[in-house]
Amino acid sequence: MINQKRKKNKLKITIFSLLIFFTFLNAYPSDVNCKKFDIKCKSKNWLQETKEFQKKKYKEGKDQLGSNKKQIIDALPKKR
């Protein structure tokens, strides 16, 4: 009888703890300003900005390559 009650209490505590954890995890804003000498935060932000920049430029390059490819194919003389 006591073991069943302990299991129920452990389950309640675990669920409640997870609920609180996820609530606080989502409470912080995504745009975090770093302190002056916070190297970890600054490096994380720099890495995130670099990834976003690379994704944007990759997409632009891919679009440009596609449009140039069409122009080159249209400009080549057709063989008979």
Side-chain angles (χ1 to χ4, degrees), residues 4 6 10 14 18 53 64:
Q4 290 177 346
R6 285 182 184 168
K10 284 183 181 181
T14 305
L18 288 173
F53 180 78
Q64 183 182 13

Side-chain angles (χ1 to χ4, degrees), residues 46-61:
W46 177 79
L47 186 63
Q48 189 65 28
E49 290 172 2
T50 304
K51 286 181 183 179
E52 290 172 9
F53 180 78
Q54 287 176 352
K55 286 179 185 177
K56 183 177 83 171
K57 291 298 180 180
Y58 176 74
K59 185 177 179 186
E60 289 176 8

